[in-house]
Amino acid sequence: MIAGIELGGTKTVVAIGTAAGDVQEEWRFPTTAPEETFSRAIDWLNERGTPEAIGIAAFGPLGVVPGRASYGKLLATPKPGWAGFSITDTLATAFPQARLTIETDVNAAALAEARLGAAQGLDDVAYITIGTGIGAGILSGGHLVHGALHPETGHFKVPRKPGDDFPGVCPFHGDCLEGLASGPSIAARWGKDAAELPADHPAWETEAWYLAHGVLALLGIVSPSRVIIGGGVSQAEGFHEKTERILNQIAAGYFSPIEAKPYIVPPMLGQQAGIKGALLLAAV
Amino acid sequence: MIAGIELGGTKTVVAIGTAAGDVQEEWRFPTTAPEETFSRAIDWLNERGTPEAIGIAAFGPLGVVPGRASYGKLLATPKPGWAGFSITDTLATAFPQARLTIETDVNAAALAEARLGAAQGLDDVAYITIGTGIGAGILSGGHLVHGALHPETGHFKVPRKPGDDFPGVCPFHGDCLEGLASGPSIAARWGKDAAELPADHPAWETEAWYLAHGVLALLGIVSPSRVIIGGGVSQAEGFHEKTERILNQIAAGYFSPIEAKPYIVPPMLGQQAGIKGALLLAAV
């Protein structure tokens, strides 16, 4: 039996399925304390059989590099009770024979979209999500990028849109990409949530400017074949096209990958990306 | 016999050595036309034996992803006669039994520094070189990053240093990182070559500002455990320390990898990085 667990900040999904990412049965429930959350997932799995492999997609910061002491643990998260909790130890105790693979939620979603969704068949893919924060999962040459910790793609700096003097909302950096373009920054900048702003509101030109500069940095550093932008804030009509138009202007013909059109696309797997990614991880 | 070839814009190095990167014998000669350059390298190797594996580190743009039609070829380079030349076809004709591995010069240098030099033992390393242009080789989880083409790390955009209105020298982008911080941009900005500017010249504070923002983007996207900065422009006294100081200011305590000090270091292998990288590639 192949199992997947998607641990989100507010909801958890546990599923059984195939190593090809097909969900056979799943259960969604609210994320509560770590012991309770995993005890519920473990009980649900036990009722269905004995998993030989479990893929886990979890919120972070998270130890994802095998062989390090931090592997499988939640790190310095502000979420009460979770910092230091070992997901892999908990699951290994319950299922000592199961092969465990753990990744960040964004990397799992990137993998799922690259295997089954909006970037099917591509080995170099970036999946950006814009919501409360900005994060990215990156598949490079078929390998998920971890680095020394894992990427924190929202926290580098891009040039200001001319005339924009909004200070940004990131408590660490003020005007990093996340500080200038996350959901909370839109709400603070325009006095309304992103979902309430019509597609022709100038907010979207500003948002697309910052995302295009973030994608340009991705192009310069990991050269993805396609970039997926998802998350609540990305759902305004025409947002992907607007971002791609600005990207083409600032790239100035230099980067051949963006000649594949469309280059910036929405995700295809929606709410299923995380759990499908978890099942795919179990197969690795 | 293990062989390495480093193909640079002005000089070529051919060597025999070990798969651990030890050079046993090498020959450096000027790069001329492609057929002549490779004919000289091939003759030199033939006099020494029959290579079972050849690693090649070459200038770009270059096809580096195995299985693609572009693999082993120089792409749209302005260097006369080289666009479309197939390095791997040429070597496969001369040495049909040899295993060939080809990489960009910066990736080969990154690999050599990660295995034998300034980032020994690390699997997540960025090697930035600042000279006529700005480029980077990236090792991520032990894999060299290629992407859809290969990274062009000099050509994304970073915020302006407050008060700086120099337009930049990149013919494509004007004020991309390369346009604001390459060797030619220093010469255009200050009226003197980098080598003539004393270590306390304000040029270096400007240079360090832009490089620090480039490194911040690398941290956000691939999270290297260490960043090496080499190339002619990086050799001013104190330049790495200055860049690390600014990086720490703008990172604002957010990125744990940079807590390993020093985080930004000069290369250790100097002129040998490319050819040692080529030998290491032969072992892959």
Side-chain angles (χ1 to χ4, degrees):
Chain A
M1 185 173 96
I2 304 286
I5 298 175
E6 180 188 1
L7 176 70
T10 57
K11 69 155 180 18
T12 294
V13 187
V14 56
I16 54 174
T18 71
D22 291 318
V23 175
Q24 291 163 332
E25 189 184 353
E26 72 170 34
W27 179 42
R28 294 178 178 248
F29 61 93
T31 302
T32 54
E35 295 75 13
E36 184 184 36
T37 303
F38 275 86
S39 151
R40 297 177 80 179
I42 288 163
D43 288 349
W44 188 88
L45 288 173
N46 264 328
E47 286 162 21
R48 279 151 188 85
T50 304
E52 71 209 54
I54 309 176
I56 306 115
F59 67 84
L62 181 71
V64 288
V65 181
R68 296 212 188 130
S70 59
Y71 185 73
K73 286 194 182 120
L74 269 304
L75 306 177
T77 170
K79 201 170 156 61
W82 285 88
F85 177 75
S86 175
I87 296 171
T88 46
D89 284 357
T90 305
L91 290 172
T93 304
F95 304 111
Q97 75 301 329
R99 195 176 64 248
L100 305 177
T101 310
I102 193 162
E103 274 293 347
T104 58
D105 42 12
V106 278
N107 259 357
L111 181 66
E113 293 287 351
R115 295 281 180 268
L116 308 167
Q120 203 169 347
L122 300 177
D123 277 344
D124 293 280
V125 175
Y127 173 94
I128 302 172
T129 176
I130 320 171
T132 310
I134 293 182
I138 298 169
L139 190 72
S140 171
H143 304 280
L144 291 168
V145 170
H146 296 136
L149 174 60
H150 45 66
E152 290 286 354
T153 309
H155 294 275
F156 65 87
K157 302 214 176 193
V158 293
R160 286 282 181 162
K161 185 168 191 289
D164 179 27
D165 60 2
F166 177 70
V169 301
C170 175
F172 292 90
H173 309 114
D175 63 354
C176 63
L177 179 59
E178 180 169 306
L180 292 172
S182 64
S185 85
I186 293 180
R189 192 195 283 267
W190 305 100
K192 281 187 179 177
D193 281 350
E196 297 171 62
L197 296 169
D200 60 354
H201 191 283
W204 297 112
E205 196 70 20
T206 301
E207 186 70 7
W209 160 279
Y210 287 116
L211 266 293
H213 281 80
V215 173
L216 187 70
L218 282 163
L219 264 169
I221 293 173
V222 290
S223 188
S225 297
R226 190 169 297 161
V227 172
I228 300 164
I229 304 183
V233 172
S234 72
Q235 292 172 19
E237 196 188 323
F239 174 69
H240 295 83
E241 293 78 1
K242 215 182 285 272
T243 305
E244 183 156 337
R245 177 174 50 71
I246 298 174
L247 175 65
N248 275 293
Q249 286 163 12
I250 61 177
Y254 194 80
F255 292 92
S256 61
I258 62 178
E259 290 161 17
K261 314 261 183 224
Y263 182 69
I264 298 177
V265 300
M268 275 178 57
L269 303 176
Q271 287 224 326
Q272 290 295 102
I275 193 66
K276 279 178 175 286
L279 288 169
L280 290 169
L281 287 168
V284 171
Chain B
M1 187 173 96
I2 303 286
I5 297 176
E6 180 190 359
L7 176 70
T10 57
K11 71 155 179 17
T12 294
V13 187
V14 55
I16 54 175
T18 71
D22 292 318
V23 175
Q24 290 162 334
E25 190 184 352
E26 72 171 32
W27 180 41
R28 294 180 177 246
F29 60 94
T31 302
T32 55
E35 295 75 13
E36 184 185 36
T37 302
F38 275 86
S39 150
R40 297 178 80 179
I42 288 163
D43 288 349
W44 188 88
L45 287 174
N46 264 328
E47 286 163 22
R48 277 151 188 85
T50 304
E52 71 209 55
I54 309 177
I56 305 115
F59 66 84
L62 180 73
V64 289
V65 181
R68 295 212 188 130
S70 59
Y71 184 74
K73 286 195 183 118
L74 268 305
L75 306 177
T77 170
K79 201 170 156 60
W82 285 88
F85 177 75
S86 174
I87 296 172
T88 47
D89 284 357
T90 305
L91 290 172
T93 304
F95 303 113
Q97 75 302 330
R99 196 177 64 247
L100 305 176
T101 311
I102 193 161
E103 273 294 346
T104 57
D105 42 12
V106 280
N107 259 357
L111 181 66
E113 292 287 351
R115 296 282 180 267
L116 308 166
Q120 203 170 349
L122 300 176
D123 277 342
D124 293 280
V125 175
Y127 173 93
I128 302 173
T129 175
I130 321 172
T132 310
I134 293 182
I138 298 169
L139 190 72
S140 172
H143 305 280
L144 291 167
V145 170
H146 296 135
L149 174 59
H150 45 64
E152 291 286 354
T153 309
H155 294 276
F156 65 87
K157 302 215 176 192
V158 293
R160 286 282 182 160
K161 186 167 192 289
D164 179 28
D165 60 2
F166 177 70
V169 300
C170 174
F172 292 90
H173 310 113
D175 62 355
C176 61
L177 179 60
E178 179 169 306
L180 291 172
S182 64
S185 85
I186 293 181
R189 192 194 283 268
W190 306 100
K192 281 187 181 178
D193 281 350
E196 298 171 61
L197 296 168
D200 61 354
H201 192 283
W204 296 112
E205 195 71 19
T206 301
E207 186 71 8
W209 161 280
Y210 287 115
L211 266 293
H213 282 80
V215 173
L216 188 70
L218 282 163
L219 264 169
I221 293 173
V222 290
S223 189
S225 297
R226 190 168 297 161
V227 172
I228 301 163
I229 304 183
V233 172
S234 71
Q235 292 172 19
E237 196 188 322
F239 174 68
H240 295 83
E241 293 78 3
K242 213 182 287 272
T243 306
E244 182 156 337
R245 177 174 50 72
I246 297 174
L247 174 64
N248 275 294
Q249 285 163 12
I250 60 177
Y254 194 79
F255 293 93
S256 61
I258 63 178
E259 289 160 18
K261 314 261 182 224
Y263 182 70
I264 298 177
V265 299
M268 275 179 57
L269 303 176
Q271 286 224 326
Q272 290 296 102
I275 194 65
K276 280 179 174 285
L279 289 169
L280 291 168
L281 287 168
V284 171

